[in-house]
Amino acid sequence: MSATDALNRVVRSLEIPSPDPGSPSPILLCEGGAVVIAFETADSFIALVRFEPVEAMRFGAPNDEALAGHPLRSRGLEPSGSFNVENSSWILELAGINSVHPVHEPSFYADLRHFVITFRESTFECVARRADSALHPIGSASVWSLLRDAMSNPAA
């Protein structure tokens, strides 16, 4: 663990619902500077979460069985949950990478936020300015039409 990793503090998200631990079936749609993720919640809803503008994202390993190997596990990351990472070392890393840019402005990184959603078979992480979420009853519309609407209409 590097010195900056010790800064990370993982807290439960109040704005993003937690996924169903059994079978959340996450689907991502990315376009331009936005990412929308849809997944099932434990209380039988489809959660749509729109992240915008997105600075960086990753999706894949680890799954719930390998989550103990994630660098944020010892900082509070848990299976089947939605989290915010305060004092994110990833945001510091992104700022450092960009520091060679001729018009780099450190203040650009001040209001970025690091989000993590842990699923049964994967983990989603995103650095963005904001996350907006909405819940829809399962079966009220196709997940694809919900994703399309959320991507084209940020308030959806």
Side-chain angles (χ1 to χ4, degrees):
M1 176 168 58
S2 74
T4 57
D5 288 341
L7 298 173
N8 295 313
R9 180 171 174 263
V10 178
V11 296
R12 285 269 177 193
S13 176
L14 299 177
E15 63 205 308
I16 301 172
S18 290
D20 178 6
S23 180
S25 306
I27 301 171
L28 269 73
L29 182 62
C30 308
E31 182 179 57
V35 172
V36 177
I37 187 167
F39 56 88
E40 293 179 25
T41 66
D43 48 358
S44 299
F45 284 94
I46 297 295
L48 288 176
V49 186
R50 181 184 172 103
F51 300 90
E52 187 179 37
V54 172
E55 185 69 15
M57 63 152 283
R58 48 190 172 209
F59 180 64
N63 65 12
D64 60 348
E65 294 171 337
L67 194 62
H70 193 291
L72 295 174
R73 182 65 170 117
S74 66
R75 313 303 293 165
L77 192 65
E78 298 175 358
S80 300
S82 298
F83 306 90
N84 296 319
V85 182
E86 298 173 350
N87 301 315
S88 170
S89 59
W90 190 19
I91 294 173
L92 291 176
E93 177 187 351
L94 292 170
I97 290 168
N98 194 63
S99 67
V100 300
H101 193 285
V103 292
H104 173 72
E105 182 54 56
S107 64
F108 171 81
Y109 296 86
D111 63 346
L112 287 175
R113 299 174 62 201
H114 180 174
F115 304 94
V116 183
I117 306 173
T118 54
F119 299 102
R120 181 175 180 178
E121 297 299 329
S122 57
T123 298
F124 172 79
E125 292 190 64
C126 181
V127 171
R129 296 243 181 289
R130 71 178 185 275
D132 300 306
S133 63
L135 293 173
H136 301 272
I138 290 177
S140 63
S142 81
V143 173
W144 293 109
S145 65
L146 292 171
L147 279 165
R148 182 195 64 233
D149 293 347
M151 185 57 77
S152 61
N153 179 11

